[in-house]
Amino acid sequence: MTKACGVDFGTSNSTVGWLGQSAGGGGAAHSLLALEDGKATLPSVVFFNADDDEVRYGRAALADYLAGYEGRLMRSLKSLLGTSLMDGQTEVAGRSLPFRLLLAQFIGELKRRAESQAGRRFEHAVFGRPVFFIDDNPQADRLAEDTLAEVARSVGFREVAFQYEPIAAAFDYESTIAREELVLIVDIGGGTSDFSLVRLGPERAGKPERRDDILATGGVHIGGTDFDKYLSLAAAMPLLGYRGLLRSGAEIPSSYYFNLATWHTINQAYTRKSIAQLEDLVRDASEPGPLRRLQGLIDERAGHWLAMQVEGAKIGLSSEETVVLDLDRLRPPEKLVVTRPRFEEAIGPLPDSIDATVLRLLADAGVTASAVDTVFFTGGSSGVGLLRARVGALVPDARKVEGDLFGSIGAGLALDARRKFG
């Protein structure tokens, strides 16, 4: 059994992979460890339950929040890496909590649950990382990786290595094929879209060094949380006064709506300063009704609830043409109809950036589209039909394969952990 694990700390969901003993005892079988309720994924969510004075994680955290317990919900923690917010803090139960400590609490919980399932301690780990934590800023990108490594070591990982997430997904796909292929790995996750062009095959799989098999990598800081944000701004935030006017003719400041539409800034709408300023805006609004609805949402600390409804619409539109959201916590309640064309219009130019990244990847590799044998999709947001169709159209002759949207990276990291640490 390998002594190391692979950790996919995701913007929306996290997994841990490990090459444990196979069921028959005759060798190693890579698998994802069950982290919550028998499921391999642990939503990257922390809830500080003030009523019960305890910290909850994953689905349990979301359940407490939706049940109406008093407390503080934090999500999309990975999005803080490489930003100035990472050195800041937030208020929890009247106390200041540094974001670094919050990140360490979640990574430590991942480690604890993985070790409990594996029945052993993990002191070595390969962490997945996006091709770019931060676009066009190498210094911030390096800072993000260094911060994650420091946090991982602080919770007991003695040795930490990193692997690009799409390369990890490539290793997972490679374990399933019988001949050599040139594969475009498309990993569209919660916070980033990452791509790799890799030569894969059974004869290559055992090589300790795979650098020559990686023709090119690329990425852009666009992912599922961005799709949530733009859908929220287009469909939900107008119900709360977004783009409404003050009596002076000026537009209502958009900061409230952008904070509520962005997972890792929702709590900024709940500060005393923000609430006091909103009170003044209600008095000055030409139509105060939507702003009063916004006040009610903030008073109930229901920003994450609204974001979850919008995220649910996005997910539903991957398979349905129309989704109806029952926004029963708004006052007055509202039934919001969201269509796939409206969603695709809302995310606007984001698919163009993804297209451009893939075309640049092919150019960097010196490879024509016709040379690509397979497109391998992974990452939860690769289920968005528009994105899949757009990427597929760039390499029309390639076979399209869907991996485990939430598990391929963790499984591939487990394979890489065995290579790196034995």
Side-chain angles (χ1 to χ4, degrees), residues 163-354:
Q163 182 59 266
Y164 288 140
E165 289 158 358
I167 297 298
F171 294 154
D172 182 48
Y173 174 64
E174 186 175 53
S175 69
T176 70
I177 60 178
R179 62 178 181 83
E180 184 169 309
E181 298 180 16
L182 179 59
V183 183
L184 171 63
I185 306 295
V186 177
D187 170 26
I188 304 179
T192 59
S193 295
D194 295 301
F195 310 92
S196 294
L197 196 61
V198 193
R199 294 197 186 280
L200 302 174
E203 293 182 0
R204 296 176 181 269
K207 293 165 52 180
E209 175 55 59
R210 302 298 300 273
R211 191 183 306 272
D212 293 342
D213 295 337
I214 302 169
L215 278 63
T217 59
V220 62
H221 204 264
I222 292 172
T225 56
D226 298 290
F227 308 144
D228 296 342
K229 177 172 74 174
Y230 285 103
L231 178 58
S232 182
L233 290 170
M237 293 302 157
L239 300 174
L240 307 176
Y242 179 51
R243 296 202 178 279
L245 299 177
L246 302 173
R247 287 199 297 266
S248 66
E251 195 170 281
I252 294 169
S254 62
S255 59
Y256 296 96
Y257 307 103
F258 275 81
N259 281 339
L260 285 172
T262 306
W263 280 104
H264 64 280
T265 61
I266 290 173
N267 287 310
Q268 293 183 21
Y270 304 150
T271 64
R272 285 187 287 270
K273 180 180 178 181
S274 179
I275 290 170
Q277 290 174 337
L278 182 56
E279 186 70 42
D280 293 335
L281 288 174
V282 172
R283 288 193 291 268
D284 294 338
S286 59
E287 293 185 25
L291 280 181
R292 290 200 182 100
R293 181 183 263 178
L294 174 61
Q295 276 186 309
L297 181 85
I298 290 173
D299 287 345
E300 291 189 18
R301 301 294 195 268
H304 287 91
W305 164 81
L306 181 59
M308 288 177 209
Q309 309 313 304
V310 173
E311 181 186 39
K314 175 197 70 178
I315 294 169
L317 291 171
S318 295
S319 56
E320 305 291 336
E321 287 291 332
T322 302
V323 172
V324 179
L325 299 183
D326 186 8
L327 303 180
D328 56 355
R329 291 181 67 174
L330 297 185
R331 295 291 177 264
E334 186 91 27
K335 287 194 182 295
L336 179 64
V337 178
V338 186
T339 64
R340 188 179 294 174
R342 189 177 190 186
F343 168 61
E344 293 177 353
E345 181 183 5
I347 62 176
L350 298 183
D352 294 338
S353 297
I354 290 173

Side-chain angles (χ1 to χ4, degrees), residues 91-166:
E91 185 177 304
V92 175
R95 301 187 302 271
S96 293
L97 178 69
F99 284 121
R100 281 178 182 261
L101 181 57
L102 176 62
L103 196 64
Q105 284 183 272
F106 185 80
I107 298 295
E109 183 68 11
L110 269 181
K111 183 175 187 289
R112 186 189 68 77
R113 294 186 183 210
E115 289 175 339
S116 176
Q117 282 295 306
R120 60 163 300 144
R121 287 181 56 81
F122 292 121
E123 295 185 348
H124 308 75
V126 176
F127 274 71
R129 58 149 293 165
V131 175
F132 300 113
F133 280 104
I134 306 292
D135 291 343
D136 303 319
N137 190 333
Q139 185 175 0
D141 189 77
R142 169 54 60 182
L143 176 62
E145 182 179 297
D146 289 346
T147 300
L148 184 53
E150 289 168 8
V151 167
R153 285 192 289 267
S154 76
V155 301
F157 287 113
R158 195 158 50 85
E159 290 188 73
V160 177
F162 287 91
Q163 182 59 266
Y164 288 140
E165 289 158 358

Side-chain angles (χ1 to χ4, degrees), residues 184 354-359 362 368-370 389-397:
L184 171 63
I354 290 173
D355 283 359
T357 304
V358 174
L359 290 173
L362 293 172
T368 63
S370 61
R390 291 277 293 265
V391 172
L394 299 177
V395 282
D397 298 331

